[in-house]
């Protein structure tokens, strides 16, 4: 018998042959095609991988589009007539169900063939088939198709390091051009919106208008399709928000409503992300009203401004815009017709539920529907607005408070005045210690919740901490031993507070130097907490004594960064101009700070950028005792320029307002300090007693 015989492969082939015979005139189930492709990959049969994986993707798409078409057709053929008697309601429900079953089986064959496991569904949602495809196309020497598959996969998995490296290699291959890097699963409404924003930012308003209008049209098409997919059978296991389960009809339609509500979130969420783009649908109308204003089409500008207010009634800056447009036009104008969250279905279902299940009134109470109150089901899911319309020089975060007046200048005159109140004042709080000096505030640093301070520690203390770093830091500390985690042209070394105290206790470094590291980081924490006027305790999230050293012989023609542009509590997405606050980002971090120990090196400037990760808004040259502090969110993307000569050392600090995420090693270090304090073992350290405070 052949040594490569596999009973599983034989069974898969037999099963596939049987299914294809049964479904010769219907759709082949994509899970079986997918399984066949994966098995072929395990035997390196790459032509078979491509054939069956492409067939699986085609089947998956056809199943979805056929389901949408059938459900929309049946909804149109059997509408609710407005009467809510139990007979008429059940008549419509049963006719719809029969219509859908007949339509689906006519187009797809027996529906039992298309019952897909949750694992396979998730693989397709995560675009796993494209990972197989790019490797198969690569082996088959088809780099153009491999590049498209890799790009499609990477759009939904931007943290996949190996795929990112593969994409860079494809870009260098002869015959592979920019046109080959296409997202085969791109959603038309998001693609048009992204292109429109880029044109808008360049001031190409007429071209942007065309694409924003296209994005809206595609959005509403996608919205209809998404809601149609909610009309089928529902899953009841694990839905703890259903507090009352004695009525199956109630449970079913509550699930349908919840599914439809999630369409709002789904359509605003980019591939691979868990959180939606903020204020996504209303933002189309916000962009449009200003773009129409810029090209002089005031009636359209007014219409879009009024439409925006349907989502955010009374929003001050848009209300001011509406008043201006009305004054110019001499008419009130009307908003566009907007469909929001399936209100008609909501009314029908609520009436039916109240009729069929009188106890549904228990569900109708907001408090008994945790997770999706009725206010969210009826109206737009409001996200905090991120205003970036009228060329603001800053992006307010949710904890800021600024009164900003913005004027549009037209023909040398201020013709439109808007105002926006958020939550923070640029002027910071007290600096706590007498010697500390404010160098630059948020305005001078061209951002929000940023500060640059000097003289946080003395020259002598800087020198002592540098000597400590030479003795205690280890290559790759904090990065699983990787000596060069950010760039191959530099060596990274680090040490924690607890490790340093342990070295001091063992006599390997001066104990007073270890205490100095502990005290300096505490001084920085108190300064940040006070300057940003936080009304709750700021806790350590991570404390790290770090040094970056330029590797000799690897500095010629460098164009990389010592630390790439990033944000500390969210995943920066420069193309989308967003920062996604979700794992693997450290979402619990609220503030960050860097206390520099030296400046005797070349390069190594700390930089803030816009969300595009390219436009530098501020640059800071490290020096002894200098502290840069900032909020950790997407309002403050930052990085470090290449250290091209010498060694750059600092105390890196991250803080959280949530005590659940306090740094464990810091808590242990606190206990060590307390124990040593009782023994009076210290020589001298940094004095942080109240006597030197303001």
């Amino acid at each position: 018998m052949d040594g490569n015989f596999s009973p599983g492969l034989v069974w898969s082939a037999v099963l596939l042959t049987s299914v294809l015979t049964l479904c010769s005139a219907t759709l082949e189930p994509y899970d079986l095609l997918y399984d066949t492709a994966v098995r072929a990959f395990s035997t390196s049969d790459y032509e078979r991988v491509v054939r069956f994986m492409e067939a699986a993707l085609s089947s998956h798409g056809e199943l979805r589009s056929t389901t949408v078409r059938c459900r929309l057709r049946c909804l149109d053929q059997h509408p609710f007539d407005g009467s809510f008697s139990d007979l008429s309601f059940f008549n419509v429900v049963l006719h719809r169900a029969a219509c859908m079953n007949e339509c689906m089986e006519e187009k797809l064959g027996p529906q039992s063939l298309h019952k897909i496991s949750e694992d396979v569904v998730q693989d397709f949602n995560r675009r796993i088939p494209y990972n197989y495809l790019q490797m198969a196309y690569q082996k088959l020497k088809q780099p153009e198709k491999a590049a498209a598959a890799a790009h499609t996969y990477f759009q939904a998995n931007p943290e996949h390091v190996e795929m990112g490296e593969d994409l860079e290699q494809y870009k260098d291959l002869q015959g592979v051009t920019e046109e080959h890097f296409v997202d085969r699963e791109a959603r038309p409404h998001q693609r048009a919106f992204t292109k429109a924003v880029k044109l808008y930012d360049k001031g190409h308003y007429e071209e942007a208008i065309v694409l924003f209008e296209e994005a809206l049209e595609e959005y509403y098409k996608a919205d209809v399709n998404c809601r149609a997919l909610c009309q089928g059978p529902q899953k009841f296991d694990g839905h703890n928000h259903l507090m009352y389960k004695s009525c199956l009809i109630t449970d079913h339609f509550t699930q349908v409503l919840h599914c439809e509500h999630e369409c709002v979130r789904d359509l605003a969420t980019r591939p691979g992300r868990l959180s939606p783009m903020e204020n996504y649908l209303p933002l189309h109308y916000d962009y449009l009203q200003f773009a129409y204003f810029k090209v002089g089409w005031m009636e359209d500008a007014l219409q879009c401004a009024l439409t925006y207010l349907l989502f955010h009634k009374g929003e001050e800056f848009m209300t001011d815009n509406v008043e201006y447009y009305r004054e110019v036009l001499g008419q009130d104008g009307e908003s566009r017709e907007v469909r929001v969250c399936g209100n008609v279905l909501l009314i029908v279902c609520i009436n039916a539920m109240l009729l069929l299940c009188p106890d549904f009134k228990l569900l109708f109470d907001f408090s008994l529907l945790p997770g999706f109150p009725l206010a969210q089901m009826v109206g737009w899911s409001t996200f905090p607005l991120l205003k970036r319309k009228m060329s603001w020089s800053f992006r307010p975060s949710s904890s800021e408070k600024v009164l900003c007046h913005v004027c549009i200048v037209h023909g040398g005159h201020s013709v439109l005045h808007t105002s926006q109140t958020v939550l923070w004042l640029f002027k910071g709080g007290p600096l706590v210690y007498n010697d500390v000096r404010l160098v630059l505030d948020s305005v001078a640093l061209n951002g929000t919740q940023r500060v640059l301070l000097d003289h946080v520690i003395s020259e002598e203390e800087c020198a002592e901490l540098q000597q400590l770093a030479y003795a205690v830091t280890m290559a790759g500390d904090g990065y699983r031993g990787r000596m060069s985690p950010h760039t191959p042209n530099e060596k990274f070394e680090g040490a924690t507070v607890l490790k340093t105290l342990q070295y001091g206790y063992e006599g390997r470094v001066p104990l007073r130097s270890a205490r100095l590291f502990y005290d300096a980081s505490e001084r920085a924490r108190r300064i940040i907490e006070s300057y940003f006027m936080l009304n709750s305790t700021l806790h350590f999230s991570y404390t790290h004594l770090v040094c970056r050293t330029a590797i000799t012989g690897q500095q010629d023609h460098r164009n990389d960064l010592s630390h790439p542009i990033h944000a500390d509590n969210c995943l920066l997405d420069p193309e989308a101009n967003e920062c996604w606050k979700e794992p693997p980002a450290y979402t619990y971090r609220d503030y960050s700070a860097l206390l520099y120990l030296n400046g005797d090196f070349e390069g190594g400037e700390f930089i803030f950028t816009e969300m595009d990760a390219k436009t530098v808004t501020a640059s800071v040259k490290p020096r002894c005792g200098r502290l840069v502090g900032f909020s950790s969110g997407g309002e403050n993307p930052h990085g470090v320029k290449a250290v091209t000569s010498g060694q750059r050392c600092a105390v890196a600090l991250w803080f959280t307002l949530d005590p659940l995420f306090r740094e464990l090693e810091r808590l242990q270090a606190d206990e060590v300090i307390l124990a040593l304090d009782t023994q009076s073992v210290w020589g001298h350290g940094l004095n942080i007693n109240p006597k030197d405070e303001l």
Side-chain angles (χ1 to χ4, degrees):
M1 187 175 287
D2 189 344
N4 293 325
F5 171 77
S6 170
L9 286 175
V10 172
W11 168 243
S12 178
V14 171
L15 182 59
L16 182 61
T17 302
S18 301
V19 171
L20 295 185
T21 301
L22 178 65
C23 302
S24 58
T26 57
L27 187 70
E28 300 169 19
Y30 73 84
D31 59 341
L32 188 54
L33 293 165
Y34 178 56
D35 180 68
T36 304
V38 172
R39 289 177 182 273
F41 187 86
S42 68
T43 61
S44 302
D45 188 348
Y46 298 113
E47 290 186 357
R48 191 174 172 86
V49 171
V50 167
R51 183 166 71 254
F52 282 95
M53 198 64 79
E54 291 287 11
L57 288 166
S58 177
S59 177
H60 174 261
E62 182 60 26
L63 176 63
R64 187 183 190 278
S65 59
T66 300
T67 303
V68 169
R69 287 196 301 269
C70 285
R71 289 181 179 173
L72 289 178
R73 188 178 80 180
C74 294
L75 290 174
D76 288 340
Q77 290 180 359
H78 304 285
F80 288 109
D81 60 7
S83 65
F84 298 111
S85 67
D86 47 1
L87 181 60
S88 65
F89 176 80
F90 277 118
N91 184 56
V92 172
V93 170
L94 293 174
H95 275 88
R96 282 184 177 179
C99 173
M100 289 179 185
N101 287 335
E102 181 180 351
C103 180
M104 295 283 284
E105 297 210 354
E106 176 188 345
K107 304 293 184 184
L108 307 176
Q111 292 190 60
S112 60
L113 291 175
H114 302 286
K115 300 293 184 183
I116 311 298
S117 73
E118 190 62 29
D119 288 342
V120 174
V121 171
Q122 288 305 313
D123 276 3
F124 276 72
N125 289 341
R126 292 164 51 213
R127 302 188 179 183
I128 300 299
Y130 290 99
N131 195 6
Y132 285 105
L133 276 177
Q134 78 94 16
M135 290 185 282
Y137 279 127
Q138 187 183 66
K139 294 291 185 180
L140 294 173
K141 303 287 191 280
Q142 299 181 46
E144 300 91 347
K145 293 181 178 180
H151 182 76
T152 302
Y153 177 81
F154 193 67
Q155 294 306 298
N157 302 273
E159 292 82 35
H160 196 286
V161 177
E162 291 81 3
M163 189 65 79
E165 293 172 349
D166 288 345
L167 280 170
E168 291 302 317
Q169 292 177 7
Y170 288 134
K171 292 176 182 178
D172 295 332
L173 291 178
Q174 187 175 3
V176 178
T177 64
E178 190 68 29
E179 288 72 26
H180 292 118
F181 294 93
V182 295
D183 182 359
R184 292 176 50 181
E185 297 282 340
R187 306 172 92 174
H189 67 284
Q190 290 186 356
R191 179 173 54 206
F193 179 75
T194 301
K195 290 180 179 178
V197 171
K198 290 180 179 178
L199 288 169
Y200 178 98
D201 289 340
K202 293 178 181 177
H204 301 158
Y205 297 109
E206 289 195 33
E207 296 95 325
I209 286 170
V210 173
L211 284 172
F212 278 127
E213 295 288 9
E214 178 186 331
L216 280 173
E217 182 178 352
E218 293 294 341
Y219 177 93
Y220 285 118
K221 287 180 184 177
D223 179 77
V224 169
N225 292 346
C226 182
R227 296 183 192 286
L229 291 171
C230 292
Q231 298 302 312
Q234 300 294 316
K235 297 179 181 179
F236 292 97
D237 295 338
H239 288 269
N240 295 326
H241 64 268
L242 295 176
M243 305 285 289
Y244 182 77
K245 296 189 176 183
S246 65
C247 180
L248 182 61
I249 298 294
T250 299
D251 286 355
H252 171 78
F253 279 105
T254 303
Q255 290 277 40
V256 170
L257 291 172
H258 183 259
C259 177
E260 289 204 358
H261 175 60
E262 284 300 301
C263 286
V264 176
R265 182 183 183 87
D266 176 65
L267 295 180
T269 303
R270 290 175 64 85
R273 299 275 65 90
L274 301 175
S275 50
M277 287 179 270
E278 293 181 341
N279 201 37
Y280 181 65
L281 179 56
L283 199 55
H284 287 67
Y285 297 102
D286 191 2
Y287 276 116
L288 276 171
Q289 64 89 22
F290 186 63
Y292 277 125
F293 164 78
K294 293 295 288 184
V295 299
W297 300 347
M298 295 299 184
E299 289 188 19
D300 294 287
L302 174 58
Q303 186 183 58
C304 291
L306 288 169
T307 306
Y308 180 91
L309 289 175
L310 293 178
F311 298 96
H312 299 293
K313 185 177 181 180
E315 188 73 40
E316 186 177 1
F317 86 98
M318 194 63 76
T319 302
D320 290 344
N321 290 5
V322 166
E323 290 177 0
Y324 168 75
Y325 296 139
R326 283 173 171 170
E327 182 180 344
V328 170
L329 293 169
Q331 63 183 51
D332 289 340
E334 293 182 355
S335 64
R336 298 185 182 184
E337 182 180 352
V338 177
R339 299 182 300 279
V340 181
C341 291
N343 290 347
V344 174
L345 174 65
L346 177 66
I347 295 169
V348 169
C349 290
I350 287 176
N351 278 280
M353 288 183 220
L354 288 171
L355 175 70
L356 299 171
C357 296
D359 287 334
F360 176 70
K361 62 181 179 293
L362 296 176
L363 284 174
F364 206 69
D365 190 313
F366 297 172
S367 64
L368 294 183
L369 280 173
F372 69 110
L374 190 64
Q376 286 189 338
M377 291 159 57
V378 174
W380 176 259
S381 297
T382 303
F383 301 107
L385 292 180
L386 186 63
K387 298 293 183 290
R388 48 190 172 198
K389 311 298 325 126
M390 312 298 186
S391 301
W392 287 29
S393 62
F394 62 90
R395 286 192 175 88
S397 75
S398 59
S399 61
E400 295 172 335
K401 190 171 188 178
V402 177
L403 185 62
C404 175
H405 297 283
V406 185
C407 296
I408 300 173
V409 178
H410 179 68
H413 300 284
S414 174
V415 296
L416 184 61
H417 178 271
T418 66
S419 62
Q420 164 76 5
T421 303
V422 275
L423 304 176
W424 180 77
L425 294 173
F426 278 114
K427 183 176 176 60
L431 300 179
V432 183
Y433 300 96
N434 281 318
D435 294 337
V436 178
R437 292 291 177 266
L438 175 65
V439 180
L440 299 172
D441 61 8
S442 294
V443 176
L445 289 169
N446 298 313
T448 58
Q449 299 210 82
R450 303 174 180 178
V451 66
L452 184 65
L453 306 164
D454 274 346
H455 306 304
V456 174
I457 57 176
S458 67
E459 294 280 351
E460 293 76 14
E461 289 160 347
C462 284
E464 187 170 350
L465 288 176
Q466 272 193 280
Q467 285 298 121
L468 179 69
Y470 298 151
V472 301
T473 56
M474 292 185 63
D477 185 77
Y479 291 92
R480 299 181 180 178
R482 286 185 293 154
M483 185 180 79
S484 303
H486 305 301
T487 170
N489 302 307
E490 297 175 20
K491 181 174 69 172
F492 179 92
E493 300 164 287
T496 62
V497 167
L498 183 62
K499 176 186 173 182
T500 306
L501 286 171
Q502 288 172 338
Y503 271 41
Y505 187 77
E506 294 167 0
R508 300 164 68 177
V509 298
L511 191 55
R512 68 181 189 186
S513 297
R515 174 64 189 257
L516 177 62
F517 176 23
Y518 177 91
D519 287 347
S521 57
E522 171 61 16
R523 173 178 278 211
R525 185 198 69 80
R526 296 186 67 183
I527 292 171
I528 295 296
E529 182 181 78
S530 177
Y531 181 80
F532 289 114
M533 297 184 291
L534 304 178
N535 56 10
S536 59
T537 302
L538 194 63
H539 305 279
F540 287 98
S541 169
Y542 193 51
T543 313
H544 214 196
L545 178 61
V546 298
C547 293
R548 303 168 186 271
T549 308
I551 298 177
T552 304
Q554 294 185 203
Q555 302 305 312
D556 293 338
H557 310 297
R558 279 189 67 178
N559 58 5
D560 63 340
L561 296 175
S562 175
H563 198 137
I565 303 301
H566 64 285
D568 287 338
N569 71 11
C570 54
L571 303 175
L572 193 62
D573 186 348
E575 287 192 9
N577 212 32
E578 296 283 352
C579 203
W580 310 101
K581 198 166 184 179
E582 57 192 52
Y586 300 101
T587 57
Y588 49 84
R589 290 179 176 173
D590 295 299
Y591 287 87
S592 309
L594 291 152
L595 175 58
Y596 297 111
L597 305 183
N598 67 316
D600 54 342
F601 51 86
E602 293 181 11
E605 292 88 351
F606 177 92
I607 54 175
F608 288 111
T609 73
E610 295 282 2
M611 274 196 184
D612 62 7
K614 297 177 182 177
T615 307
V616 176
T617 57
S619 179
V620 173
K621 177 64 179 175
R623 56 182 287 184
C624 166
R626 173 162 285 181
L627 176 77
V628 59
F630 50 94
S631 56
S632 303
E635 66 279 2
N636 283 317
H638 59 278
V640 179
K641 289 187 176 182
V643 178
T644 56
S645 177
Q647 184 180 64
R648 175 189 191 271
C649 293
V651 176
L653 301 155
W654 293 270
F655 306 105
T656 179
L657 293 169
D658 189 341
L660 292 176
F661 293 98
R662 287 177 293 180
E663 180 183 10
L664 178 59
E665 286 203 12
R666 187 78 191 197
L667 295 176
Q668 294 172 320
D670 291 342
E671 295 177 359
V672 172
I673 292 293
L674 180 62
L676 295 176
D677 276 344
T678 60
Q679 300 174 31
S680 301
V681 299
W682 307 110
H684 70 271
L686 180 65
N687 189 344
I688 62 167
N689 291 324
K691 68 180 182 181
D692 69 338
E693 298 182 17
L694 291 175

